[in-house]
Amino acid sequence: MQFLIKGQKHRHRVVFKRRAMTGSDPSSSASRSVEESLHGDTQYRQPYLAGPSSVGGEEAVEFVLSSPRLATMSTKTARASMVPDLFTSLPYIRDLLNTQSSQIQEETIQECLPFLSGLEPGAIYNDYGVPHLERKRHIQFLHKSLKKLPAPYVAADASRPWMFYWALAGLSALGEDVSQYREPLISTVRPIQNATGGFGGGNGQMSHLAPTYAIVLALAIVGGKEALDIIDRRAMWKWLGALKQLDGGFQVSVGGEEDIRGAYCAAVIITLLDLPLELPRDSPAWSGEGAILLTGLAEWVRRCQTFEGGFSGLPDVEAHGAYAFCALACLCILGDPHVMIPKYIDVPRLMSWLSARQYAPEGGFSGRTNKLVDGCYSHWVGSCWPLLEACLDGPFRSFAGGPRPAATKSLGSLYSREGLIRYILCCCQDRTRRGGLRDKPSHSSDSYHTCYVLAGLSSAQHKWHFNTTETKTETSGNLASPYQWTCEPFVGEEQIYNEGDRVGTLHPVFVIPEGAAEETRAYFASKGGF
């Protein structure tokens, strides 16, 4: 296979010859190192794909550079061996109907192909055509996001709790000690807790489940008695009772919308804080007939599955990847995944819809039907798969050689981990001094995408098991299922990234560092009642 790299003043050819790989799929291809350096100005714009062409009777793809001269690219930098055709070629099946959506999709493919093909200038690729994780730059970026922000960020004041969570979760995944942020976090979030329960997005703002969820998780990440003790559990319980609705769901704020975010966020808060399940008598859902905070919740989640198979924010609207994760994670809090998920979800339809979210050649996930890939769905869609895999594998039990299925052999991976890892490491990293991770190459990095891209990378690099032999001693009582997960590095496919690029584990349900949820739940369980 040949790739033409064309400039206005210079013209060079980079040749990737096909060769048969022993024991490999004949449909895959390998590429040899570039035989010559490319010379020219080091400052230029991003290359884009112009389309297929024929060169000497062989297949070729032209990459047109918008700069008058090509950037300098060393042989080592341009090395892109063993990149399968799936990630370097246009899709085999293409809809000939030309629409605005199809045009944008075509542009996205053109945008990503140079990065996936090992042609990003300045990137150092391994033998699989995958660049290294720029760990230090991403760590620096996240630390900076926790410092004083520019004035325009005042418009995002209500999102401050999320910024704390995104940065702390991302730093933890990258192996950073975040205990230095314990005191600043306490002093910042203490004033935005309302006496009526829950946290607002900022000072003087009404309580809302989204920032409350983010703050609870942020406090769990930094850990420690001082951080956890600032939460008024009794007020939180009464406030959640005010949000509980007769149909089983939760409003996100008093008088606000009722959606699947509320179901998941409420379930997380109830279990992490070990709150009583009884309803306060002034709850709108209280009936005197034994209803509790969780009554009808699973049934309400089930109503959000759409005809496509995905999940919408509330019944009878469009399916979205983030809502699928909220639905699955909520059910995995309410009970064991192999029991709850098939009981309340049409699993084959959901798997079909989730599978359709992963695109080639990009390798990443989209969030909705007929939408573009986006790095954040590395988590919102990618992290649905461990929960489904645990559902289909059934419970695991620990043996001398590690956890094994109680009955049948593990199904392995249900999605292309390689594709997702390639998209993340090739397309989602900002390798400039800025650092951080992003939606796609043409977008800027931010803490939101940095957090969820890293969460998706962690999920793809590890295998989670629902382990029935995990002790329930410290988490005995209500909602013990989410504390029975164990993890190991994923094996079974050829590892395309260096071991030094492996990130830390994040709990598949809570999306905080492994062990933090167990410690938080154990602390509040030890305190007993209010």
Side-chain angles (χ1 to χ4, degrees), residues 37 130 138 147 158 222 233 240 379 383 398 425 436 445 448-449 451 459 476 519:
S37 297
V130 176
H138 304 329
K147 307 299 182 183
V222 299
R233 292 169 66 225
L240 288 172
H379 162 66
S383 294
S398 294
L425 294 180
S445 57
Y448 167 81
H449 283 91
C451 170
S459 181
S476 59
E519 292 174 4

Short mmCIF file of all heavy atoms in Angstrom, two decimals, residues 37 130 138 147 158 222 233 240 379 383 398 425 436 445 448-449 451 459 476 519:
data_model
loop_
_atom_site.label_atom_id
_atom_site.label_comp_id
_atom_site.label_asym_id
_atom_site.label_seq_id
_atom_site.Cartn_x
_atom_site.Cartn_y
_atom_site.Cartn_z
N SER A 37 13.67 10.66 5.30
CA SER A 37 13.11 11.73 6.12
C SER A 37 12.43 12.74 5.22
O SER A 37 12.79 12.90 4.05
CB SER A 37 14.22 12.42 6.92
OG SER A 37 14.81 11.50 7.80
N VAL A 130 1.29 2.93 17.29
CA VAL A 130 0.56 3.61 18.37
C VAL A 130 1.53 4.50 19.14
O VAL A 130 2.59 4.03 19.56
CB VAL A 130 -0.08 2.59 19.33
CG1 VAL A 130 -0.75 3.30 20.50
CG2 VAL A 130 -1.08 1.71 18.59
N HIS A 138 -0.35 15.36 30.43
CA HIS A 138 -1.74 15.28 30.87
C HIS A 138 -1.85 15.56 32.38
O HIS A 138 -2.82 16.19 32.83
CB HIS A 138 -2.32 13.91 30.54
CG HIS A 138 -2.21 13.56 29.07
ND1 HIS A 138 -2.25 14.51 28.08
CD2 HIS A 138 -2.06 12.36 28.44
CE1 HIS A 138 -2.14 13.92 26.90
NE2 HIS A 138 -2.02 12.61 27.10
N LYS A 147 -6.14 24.95 39.49
CA LYS A 147 -5.62 26.22 39.96
C LYS A 147 -6.61 27.34 39.61
O LYS A 147 -7.73 27.09 39.18
CB LYS A 147 -4.25 26.50 39.34
CG LYS A 147 -3.24 25.38 39.51
CD LYS A 147 -2.93 25.10 40.97
CE LYS A 147 -1.88 24.00 41.10
NZ LYS A 147 -1.61 23.64 42.52
N ALA A 158 -21.48 27.01 37.93
CA ALA A 158 -22.30 25.89 38.42
C ALA A 158 -21.67 24.54 38.12
O ALA A 158 -22.12 23.52 38.64
CB ALA A 158 -23.70 25.95 37.80
N VAL A 222 -10.36 11.94 47.34
CA VAL A 222 -9.32 12.46 48.25
C VAL A 222 -9.32 11.71 49.56
O VAL A 222 -8.29 11.57 50.22
CB VAL A 222 -9.48 13.98 48.47
CG1 VAL A 222 -9.35 14.73 47.16
CG2 VAL A 222 -10.81 14.31 49.15
N ARG A 233 -25.41 13.67 56.20
CA ARG A 233 -26.11 12.50 55.68
C ARG A 233 -27.60 12.55 55.97
O ARG A 233 -28.42 12.14 55.12
CB ARG A 233 -25.51 11.23 56.28
CG ARG A 233 -24.10 10.95 55.82
CD ARG A 233 -23.47 9.85 56.65
NE ARG A 233 -24.12 8.56 56.46
CZ ARG A 233 -24.46 7.74 57.46
NH1 ARG A 233 -24.24 8.09 58.73
NH2 ARG A 233 -25.02 6.57 57.21
N LEU A 240 -33.15 13.56 49.30
CA LEU A 240 -33.39 12.51 48.32
C LEU A 240 -34.84 12.03 48.39
O LEU A 240 -35.45 11.70 47.37
CB LEU A 240 -32.43 11.34 48.54
CG LEU A 240 -30.98 11.59 48.14
CD1 LEU A 240 -30.11 10.43 48.58
CD2 LEU A 240 -30.85 11.80 46.64
N HIS A 379 -15.65 6.42 27.56
CA HIS A 379 -16.21 5.96 28.84
C HIS A 379 -17.70 5.70 28.74
O HIS A 379 -18.15 4.60 29.07
CB HIS A 379 -15.98 7.00 29.94
CG HIS A 379 -16.88 6.81 31.12
ND1 HIS A 379 -16.80 5.69 31.93
CD2 HIS A 379 -17.92 7.54 31.60
CE1 HIS A 379 -17.73 5.76 32.87
NE2 HIS A 379 -18.42 6.87 32.69
N SER A 383 -17.50 2.01 28.72
CA SER A 383 -17.63 1.43 30.06
C SER A 383 -18.95 0.70 30.27
O SER A 383 -19.17 0.14 31.35
CB SER A 383 -17.44 2.53 31.12
OG SER A 383 -16.12 3.03 31.08
N SER A 398 -13.12 -16.80 43.23
CA SER A 398 -11.67 -16.78 43.31
C SER A 398 -11.11 -18.17 43.54
O SER A 398 -11.60 -18.92 44.38
CB SER A 398 -11.21 -15.84 44.44
OG SER A 398 -11.55 -14.51 44.13
N LEU A 425 -5.14 6.90 21.90
CA LEU A 425 -3.72 7.27 21.90
C LEU A 425 -3.30 7.99 20.62
O LEU A 425 -2.37 8.81 20.66
CB LEU A 425 -2.86 6.02 22.12
CG LEU A 425 -3.01 5.35 23.49
CD1 LEU A 425 -2.13 4.12 23.60
CD2 LEU A 425 -2.70 6.33 24.63
N GLY A 436 -3.38 17.27 27.97
CA GLY A 436 -4.79 16.94 28.11
C GLY A 436 -5.29 16.08 26.96
O GLY A 436 -4.57 15.82 26.00
N SER A 445 -8.26 20.24 24.07
CA SER A 445 -8.40 19.40 25.25
C SER A 445 -9.13 20.15 26.36
O SER A 445 -9.13 21.38 26.42
CB SER A 445 -7.02 18.96 25.75
OG SER A 445 -6.21 20.09 26.03
N TYR A 448 -13.02 17.68 31.14
CA TYR A 448 -14.11 16.71 30.94
C TYR A 448 -13.64 15.56 30.06
O TYR A 448 -13.77 14.38 30.43
CB TYR A 448 -15.31 17.42 30.32
CG TYR A 448 -16.38 16.49 29.78
CD1 TYR A 448 -17.33 15.92 30.61
CD2 TYR A 448 -16.45 16.19 28.41
CE1 TYR A 448 -18.31 15.06 30.11
CE2 TYR A 448 -17.41 15.35 27.90
CZ TYR A 448 -18.35 14.78 28.75
OH TYR A 448 -19.30 13.93 28.25
N HIS A 449 -13.14 15.88 28.88
CA HIS A 449 -12.69 14.83 27.98
C HIS A 449 -11.47 14.10 28.53
O HIS A 449 -11.32 12.88 28.33
CB HIS A 449 -12.39 15.41 26.60
CG HIS A 449 -13.61 15.68 25.79
ND1 HIS A 449 -14.27 16.89 25.82
CD2 HIS A 449 -14.33 14.90 24.94
CE1 HIS A 449 -15.33 16.85 25.02
NE2 HIS A 449 -15.39 15.64 24.48
N CYS A 451 -10.79 13.38 31.62
CA CYS A 451 -11.28 12.40 32.60
C CYS A 451 -11.89 11.19 31.92
O CYS A 451 -11.51 10.04 32.19
CB CYS A 451 -12.31 13.06 33.52
SG CYS A 451 -13.20 11.91 34.61
N SER A 459 -10.68 1.22 31.15
CA SER A 459 -11.63 0.11 30.96
C SER A 459 -11.14 -0.83 29.87
O SER A 459 -11.26 -2.06 29.99
CB SER A 459 -13.01 0.67 30.61
OG SER A 459 -13.94 -0.36 30.42
N SER A 476 -21.66 -4.90 54.53
CA SER A 476 -22.89 -5.66 54.76
C SER A 476 -24.07 -4.70 54.87
O SER A 476 -23.93 -3.54 55.22
CB SER A 476 -22.76 -6.48 56.04
OG SER A 476 -22.51 -5.63 57.14
N GLU A 519 -13.81 1.93 50.61
CA GLU A 519 -13.39 2.65 51.83
C GLU A 519 -14.45 3.66 52.26
O GLU A 519 -14.72 3.81 53.47
CB GLU A 519 -12.06 3.35 51.57
CG GLU A 519 -10.89 2.40 51.37
CD GLU A 519 -9.62 3.12 50.99
OE1 GLU A 519 -9.64 4.38 50.94
OE2 GLU A 519 -8.61 2.46 50.71
#
